[in-house]
């Protein structure tokens, strides 16, 4: 049975019970460790690996909310509980748009779920706790540093993500807990930002308000029951107001169209694009997965038009097995 690696958050950054109006230790018992094993031939194995570890938060009887990349295509999931027990879990579902993932425990958890709060009610400067599995020594006393739009290179966009500082060193699936002891987000990334001439690390958190509209579908179907967004399998970044391809996913539409690293995306369906957000919103507006996406591309001095037939990326993934 896999064990969780021993480590601790530096004492100066650990939350102290006397600083909060709720029972901190009790709330942190709802945060569990998560360890996933993914088949080597899984589509996501090439980018995310075959063994993934992080955190999750118990939100209902045996139901754990985490960040989806930890459990995508998982054949085996272990949940490590605060009392030392390990319980096998089933990767129930995940939502590409929000990034949330759900795991159902296959054994008795016997822990109290964490109440769900409102991420919209939070403000910059609020004191929060980023809860990791293992209690206070693996959690971080933090503050909300920003609430703003976030675009990820993997065709991902949040209208208003939450950013916290100081950051949690094992951020994936951490629970963002407000001053009422409620869950208001799930940890996704660690990023670097410039502040007062110095680089500092922040965590990007998926706001909990995105969960309610998709929770029932994820529990019933393993995905959101609506037409999927078009996916191109293209990794991009912004360089000097130009949208540059920095990678393509194997078996994706961009790879089939022979787009290359270094290509510059100039326009979508004739409309100029200079940012990831503009690019995503434009091609997502063309229709659901399967729609043709006309691009104007610049490559080594040559500008050309190419049409990519988008797909539903879920169709490339292995379905999780229920043990």
């Amino acid at each position: 049975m896999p064990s969780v690696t021993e480590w601790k958050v530096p004492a100066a950054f650990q939350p102290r019970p006397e600083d909060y109006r709720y029972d901190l230790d009790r709330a942190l018992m709802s945060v569990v460790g998560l360890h996933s094993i993914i088949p080597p031939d899984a589509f996501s194995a090439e980018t995310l690996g075959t063994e993934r570890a992080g955190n999750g938060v118990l939100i209902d009887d045996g139901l754990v909310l985490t960040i989806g990349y930890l459990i995508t295509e998982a054949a085996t999931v272990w949940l490590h509980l605060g009392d030392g027990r390990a319980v096998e879990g089933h990767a129930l579902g995940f939502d590409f748009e929000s990034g949330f993932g759900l795991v159902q425990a296959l054994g008795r958890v016997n822990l109290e779920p964490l109440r769900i709060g409102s991420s919209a009610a939070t403000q910059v400067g609020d004191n929060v706790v980023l809860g990791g599995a293992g209690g206070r020594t693996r959690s971080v006393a933090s503050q909300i540093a920003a609430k703003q739009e976030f675009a990820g290179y993997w065709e991902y966009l949040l209208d208003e993500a939450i950013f916290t500082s100081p950051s949690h060193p094992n951020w994936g699936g951490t629970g963002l807990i407000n001053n009422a002891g409620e869950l208001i987000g799930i940890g996704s990334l660690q990023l670097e930002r410039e502040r007062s001439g110095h680089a500092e690390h922040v965590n990007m958190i998926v706001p909990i308000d995105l969960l309610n509209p998709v929770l029932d579908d994820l529990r019933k179907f393993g995905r959101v029951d609506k037409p999927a967004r078009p996916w191109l399998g293209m990794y991009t970044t912004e360089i000097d107001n130009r949208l540059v391809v920095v990678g393509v996913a194997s078996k994706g539409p961009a790879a089939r169209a022979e787009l290359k690293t270094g290509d510059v995306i100039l326009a979508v369906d004739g409309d100029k694009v200079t940012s990831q957000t503009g690019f995503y919103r434009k091609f997502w507006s063309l229709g659901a997965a399967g729609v043709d996406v006309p691009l104007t591309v610049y490559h080594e001095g040559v500008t050309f038009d190419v049409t990519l037939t988008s797909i539903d990326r879920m169709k490339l993934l292995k379905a999780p097995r229920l043990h």
Side-chain angles (χ1 to χ4, degrees), residues 85-98:
R85 290 179 296 140
V87 174
E88 194 166 5
H90 168 61
L92 196 59
F94 52 91
D95 173 32
F96 280 120
E97 291 191 21
S98 66

Side-chain angles (χ1 to χ4, degrees), residues 1-4 35 37 51 76-81 84-88:
M1 196 176 298
S3 62
V4 179
H35 186 179
I37 305 297
E51 193 165 349
T76 304
V77 179
W78 286 98
L79 301 173
H80 296 268
L81 312 183
R85 290 179 296 140
V87 174
E88 194 166 5

